[in-house]
Amino acid sequence: MRDVEPILWKGGRLSLLDQRRLPQRETYLELRGARDTARAIRSMVVRGAPAIGVTAAFGLALEAARFRSGHLRDDFERAAGVLLAARPTAVNLRWALERLRETAAAVGQDAAPRTLAAALRKQALALYREDIAANRALGAAGARVLPSGDVLTHCNAGALATAGYGTALGVIRAAWSSGRRFGVYATETRPFLQGARLTAWELVRLRIPVTLITDGMVGALLATRKVAAVVVGTDRTAANGDVANKIGTYTIAVLARRHGVPFYVAAPTSSIDLDCASGDDIPIEERDADEVTHIRGRRVATEGVRVFNPAFDVTPAELVTAIITEQGVVRGGDRTGLARAVHAAQRHR
Amino acid sequence: MRDVEPILWKGGRLSLLDQRRLPQRETYLELRGARDTARAIRSMVVRGAPAIGVTAAFGLALEAARFRSGHLRDDFERAAGVLLAARPTAVNLRWALERLRETAAAVGQDAAPRTLAAALRKQALALYREDIAANRALGAAGARVLPSGDVLTHCNAGALATAGYGTALGVIRAAWSSGRRFGVYATETRPFLQGARLTAWELVRLRIPVTLITDGMVGALLATRKVAAVVVGTDRTAANGDVANKIGTYTIAVLARRHGVPFYVAAPTSSIDLDCASGDDIPIEERDADEVTHIRGRRVATEGVRVFNPAFDVTPAELVTAIITEQGVVRGGDRTGLARAVHAAQRHR
């Protein structure tokens, strides 16, 4: 079966698999510039830290076709600002735009707009390919440390959350591809149901056995069944190893600790933010109340209720067994190891 | 505003507020005997341990109109068996049927069927009234120990889960009625969404501020906001103080312990099972996969996924700060105190 392609870049055109409609419908939306790309990211047509980084890069490259001669820097920064504002928590958005900024600087502000646009398209495509390669390296590294037995994952850190292959699911599929056999428990991940709709869909396609649970069942699962490890992704990991990831992750980490289950975070170095000292510095997006009061467009909650809807939470480094990067596996809370991995990735570009 | 009436008993007729359709529709279903009452309990027209106990009592009393002269005991046991099999975890079902069995024994097996039916109707109505009175006493006792500040509750242990007034929500409304002001956080409680649909609805009616969260947000809530206490209900509490309650309760108890938040269980003595030594002896119902793969009748999860759907989990006594009964408050894990409360309730009937 062909791999899932959340981001299609063909003949200079960008299309996104509309993840809001999965698994019921597989439809692609074509994007034309920074503004509609930002809107697609904000409304979760595409989600997952690596995927939104790469998508933003393509969006900015498309927007560059409209940059004005002599105003390249201003136009670049305006478009980058629109994209950066789309979602605050994942650092990959900032990381990808920074990579494009370096490209723009190298091209110079006196270049012809079409020269800059061509360079940005090339760089965005490089980021896309780098992301897939990083995920494959991360998956292989993770498969080497993953204990044998069933695995629990949360939200979707699969091919759909990246340019392709996946981070947490990358570890799982690398272990599976090496011939090991096990089952995966996937939390449904309210409010957006990434687990029920996206992770389960990917694993069924890969023919890896997947069992769905609601988010509240994690405690009962760990208390009554044998789970060998938890593997999740991350939207931003701070310099001290604190991990921001989809809401519900912290809850799982606390339970994993109580039950002695190792807790792994699959973190491509693009999601590690050495400028953030700790989780306290990571901005946590709060999203619309509608996401909680409604499910798939229909109201379920009573009228008149207030809502608290943080999209992410922070798992302190002390609850993290190890962080798996494409540069190798770093023990939870090992600041030096994290910095080394980020710097190694920078040298390898 | 009139109190919510989940169970209507008027002129010898039994109607249930159909909780599957709340809060969008308030419709009542009339029941005529043991079989349709069991079906209503199984399909969650009515749910909540005290409510299903009282409902089963009325269902059996209605069925008694069909008992055959000379076969009263057989017919009673057949009907009781149908009701008892409806749901395995809540002990109130067994407790209520046992109370009716005592009534039947007192009437004797040679009585006229209509004499037995009348006695059972009277006893069922007594159980109904006892339950409301117990909840009010429990609420008052709980309000005295509840710390000031915001409260988190899970699932629905309100008027809808009982004959009226509520257990965990009984504690909350007693505290509110005494003039204290605070907010309530309610988990939505997948898969059946009792929190979003029922608890939020009751609290909005009572004009007590309620903020809805998804089940995965409990960790983030306790880590980032001030919550003074957790108060939940129970479907069965064992002799050692282990508490079976709606799936997700154990997860919350573990998080409450980590954050030093007291964890209270509102347990009318009808839900305490001294015959169960510990939580290991409490049967945990597993329900249909459809409840997880579908929401409000529509499929959300991908096809081909397996499901683990335990309806309840067990919170060990060591995580329980106190158990609030209508006979007073018992420290978590205090076996002697629990037994004393149950025996005091038996003496007071």
Side-chain angles (χ1 to χ4, degrees):
Chain A
M1 179 172 290
R2 278 184 67 212
D3 209 6
V4 176
E5 294 189 288
I7 304 164
L8 275 185
W9 176 255
K10 272 191 192 153
R13 300 171 81 115
L14 174 65
S15 301
L16 298 180
L17 179 55
D18 189 343
Q19 299 190 26
R20 299 169 306 183
R21 309 184 76 178
L22 286 175
Q24 282 76 20
R25 281 167 208 270
E26 289 180 49
T27 52
Y28 280 83
L29 276 184
E30 188 176 350
L31 303 180
R32 300 181 182 278
R35 213 162 290 276
D36 61 351
T37 300
R39 201 158 40 230
I41 291 170
R42 169 116 206 110
S43 67
M44 298 175 73
V45 171
V46 64
R47 26 63 52 200
I52 66 180
V54 169
T55 299
F58 282 125
L60 185 52
L62 287 175
E63 187 68 29
R66 295 180 204 106
F67 288 177
R68 298 160 301 162
S69 190
H71 296 79
L72 293 188
R73 187 183 291 169
D74 287 353
D75 290 353
F76 180 99
E77 290 305 332
R78 191 173 305 111
V82 165
L83 287 158
L84 191 60
R87 297 196 71 190
T89 301
V91 73
N92 301 62
L93 209 48
R94 193 186 79 195
W95 175 88
L97 298 172
E98 184 54 41
R99 292 286 297 273
L100 262 57
R101 190 175 284 113
E102 289 168 16
T103 301
V107 169
Q109 46 180 324
D110 300 325
R114 67 162 49 187
T115 306
L116 175 59
L120 292 179
R121 283 199 301 273
K122 196 174 154 196
Q123 180 61 280
L125 185 60
L127 293 183
Y128 173 93
R129 290 178 175 148
E130 260 180 48
D131 186 60
I132 296 176
N135 290 341
R136 289 188 174 271
L138 185 162
R144 285 192 290 272
V145 296
L146 192 71
S148 52
D150 291 344
V151 174
L152 168 64
T153 189
H154 182 57
C155 192
N156 173 269
L160 290 168
T162 62
Y165 199 74
T167 57
L169 289 197
V171 172
I172 286 166
R173 60 199 285 190
W176 185 269
S177 297
S178 75
R180 287 161 56 180
R181 290 297 171 260
F182 53 93
V184 177
Y185 289 99
T187 55
E188 65 174 6
T189 318
R190 278 279 291 149
F192 201 63
L193 295 164
Q194 290 95 333
R197 300 190 301 107
L198 310 181
T199 294
W201 183 71
E202 287 195 44
L203 290 169
V204 167
R205 282 172 62 112
L206 292 165
R207 302 187 192 286
I208 299 175
V210 53
T211 301
L212 190 63
I213 60 172
T214 67
D215 301 300
M217 289 174 194
V218 174
L221 175 75
L222 299 188
T224 64
R225 295 194 174 189
K226 187 107 196 86
V227 172
V230 177
V231 189
V232 298
T234 175
D235 293 83
R236 188 184 311 211
T237 288
N240 72 339
D242 288 352
V243 172
N245 189 44
K246 177 53 53 192
I247 189 74
T249 303
Y250 168 59
T251 287
I252 297 172
V254 170
L255 289 160
R257 171 59 52 90
R258 180 175 168 94
H259 290 278
V261 176
F263 184 90
Y264 294 99
V265 177
T269 56
S270 58
S271 64
I272 299 171
D273 184 1
L274 298 179
D275 296 336
C276 257
S278 79
D280 293 342
D281 305 316
I282 301 175
I284 299 296
E285 175 185 10
E286 284 201 37
R287 294 182 60 88
D288 281 353
D290 283 7
E291 289 187 350
V292 174
T293 55
H294 292 63
I295 297 181
R296 312 295 278 145
R298 277 166 79 201
R299 184 165 195 103
V300 290
T302 200
E303 303 276 351
V305 72
R306 305 172 190 186
V307 168
F308 176 49
N309 184 18
F312 305 93
D313 59 26
V314 173
T315 298
E318 52 123 348
L319 295 177
V320 176
T321 305
I323 293 179
I324 303 163
T325 81
E326 78 276 17
Q327 298 294 332
V329 178
V330 177
R331 194 170 37 79
D334 176 359
R335 296 159 186 264
T336 316
L338 275 184
R340 196 181 297 129
V342 171
H343 295 139
Q346 286 166 351
R347 276 196 309 278
H348 279 91
R349 292 189 331 219
Chain B
M1 176 172 294
R2 279 182 66 212
D3 208 7
V4 175
E5 293 188 288
I7 303 165
L8 275 185
W9 176 255
K10 272 189 193 155
R13 300 170 81 114
L14 173 66
S15 302
L16 298 180
L17 179 56
D18 189 344
Q19 300 191 26
R20 299 169 306 182
R21 308 183 78 179
L22 287 175
Q24 282 78 19
R25 282 166 208 272
E26 289 179 49
T27 51
Y28 281 83
L29 276 185
E30 187 176 350
L31 302 181
R32 301 183 180 277
R35 214 162 291 277
D36 59 353
T37 300
R39 201 157 42 230
I41 291 170
R42 168 115 206 112
S43 67
M44 297 174 74
V45 171
V46 63
R47 22 66 51 203
I52 66 180
V54 170
T55 299
F58 282 125
L60 185 52
L62 286 174
E63 187 68 29
R66 295 182 204 103
F67 288 178
R68 298 160 301 161
S69 190
H71 296 77
L72 293 187
R73 188 182 290 170
D74 286 353
D75 289 354
F76 179 99
E77 291 305 332
R78 192 174 304 111
V82 166
L83 286 159
L84 191 61
R87 297 194 72 189
T89 301
V91 73
N92 300 62
L93 209 47
R94 193 187 77 196
W95 174 89
L97 298 171
E98 184 54 42
R99 292 285 297 272
L100 263 58
R101 189 175 285 114
E102 290 168 15
T103 302
V107 170
Q109 46 181 324
D110 301 325
R114 66 163 48 188
T115 307
L116 175 60
L120 293 179
R121 283 199 302 271
K122 196 174 153 196
Q123 179 62 280
L125 185 59
L127 294 183
Y128 173 92
R129 290 178 176 148
E130 260 181 47
D131 186 58
I132 296 177
N135 291 339
R136 288 186 174 272
L138 185 162
R144 285 192 289 273
V145 295
L146 192 72
S148 53
D150 292 344
V151 174
L152 168 65
T153 189
H154 182 57
C155 193
N156 173 268
L160 290 168
T162 63
Y165 199 74
T167 57
L169 289 196
V171 172
I172 286 166
R173 60 199 284 191
W176 184 268
S177 297
S178 75
R180 288 162 56 181
R181 290 297 171 258
F182 52 91
V184 177
Y185 289 99
T187 54
E188 65 174 7
T189 317
R190 279 280 289 148
F192 202 62
L193 295 165
Q194 290 95 334
R197 299 190 301 106
L198 310 179
T199 294
W201 183 70
E202 287 196 44
L203 290 169
V204 167
R205 280 172 63 111
L206 293 166
R207 302 188 193 285
I208 300 175
V210 52
T211 301
L212 189 64
I213 60 172
T214 66
D215 302 300
M217 289 175 194
V218 174
L221 176 74
L222 299 188
T224 64
R225 296 193 174 187
K226 187 106 196 90
V227 172
V230 177
V231 189
V232 298
T234 175
D235 293 82
R236 186 182 314 209
T237 288
N240 73 339
D242 288 351
V243 172
N245 190 44
K246 178 52 54 192
I247 188 73
T249 302
Y250 168 60
T251 287
I252 297 173
V254 169
L255 289 161
R257 171 58 52 92
R258 181 176 168 95
H259 290 279
V261 176
F263 184 89
Y264 295 100
V265 176
T269 55
S270 59
S271 64
I272 299 170
D273 184 1
L274 298 180
D275 295 336
C276 255
S278 79
D280 292 343
D281 305 316
I282 301 175
I284 299 296
E285 176 185 9
E286 283 202 37
R287 293 182 59 87
D288 280 353
D290 282 7
E291 289 188 349
V292 174
T293 55
H294 292 63
I295 297 182
R296 312 296 278 145
R298 279 166 77 202
R299 185 168 193 101
V300 292
T302 200
E303 303 276 352
V305 73
R306 305 173 190 187
V307 168
F308 176 49
N309 184 19
F312 305 93
D313 58 26
V314 174
T315 298
E318 52 122 346
L319 296 177
V320 176
T321 304
I323 292 178
I324 304 164
T325 81
E326 77 278 17
Q327 298 294 334
V329 177
V330 177
R331 193 168 38 79
D334 175 359
R335 296 159 186 264
T336 315
L338 275 184
R340 196 182 296 130
V342 171
H343 295 139
Q346 285 166 352
R347 276 196 309 276
H348 279 90
R349 301 195 314 225

